[in-house]
Amino acid sequence: AGAPFAAMALYGLHWDGAAPLPEAAAVWRGLFPSYDSLQRSLVDPARRVMEWEETEGLLLPLLGEALSLCLMPADGGATLAAGNGGLMARLAASPPAWRGAAPGECWLRVEGPALAALLRETCAHAAEEGWLPDTTPRELERTVLPLLRVLEDTGRLELTANRTADGLSWQGGLAPVRGDDPPEQTP
């Protein structure tokens, strides 16, 4: 509590426009400007005051609904940011369980099934749009997409790095994805 931290999560991609837009969120305390200082520094014509779950926040439209910077104060003096209003509404209604890290600790968690689904969708769109030279959606289905089954079966990969006097100490492991983790709320 009170220690500086930052966390980020990629929830997916929007494919409504010419290029994919990330559906991402972040939360921080003490490492970047606070919600209060950001709120004071943003000019009125560019921002809209919004409310998510009875908490006032800000929305800065960038590229329509698919990409808008949303900011909201979070518990313990943290600031929550999301890439669009829909994601901010979901996070405000059911905040993810951001795992606390000790000072000097950095961790990465990858949900294998969710990442495989994102890569499958991304590759399929890229092939349909002609972004993968000499690769048709049918060829992709035959050669590349079966490899994603390995990623689907890995479950959750966690890596942790701790700062030591000699540099960094790494540890990691694989675990099955828990059934009580709703996929849409798992960062």
Side-chain angles (χ1 to χ4, degrees), residues 64-104:
E65 176 56 31
L67 185 62
S68 296
L69 177 60
C70 300
L71 300 167
M72 184 176 88
D75 292 339
T79 301
L80 180 62
N84 62 56
L87 178 58
M88 181 61 90
R90 286 191 346 235
L91 294 175
S94 179
W98 301 99
R99 185 181 109 188

Side-chain angles (χ1 to χ4, degrees), residues 139-156:
E139 180 70 14
L140 189 71
E141 190 72 38
R142 189 179 67 73
T143 59
V144 176
L145 296 184
L147 299 174
L148 295 178
R149 287 190 198 115
V150 174
L151 188 56
E152 286 174 334
D153 294 339
T154 59
R156 174 181 292 138

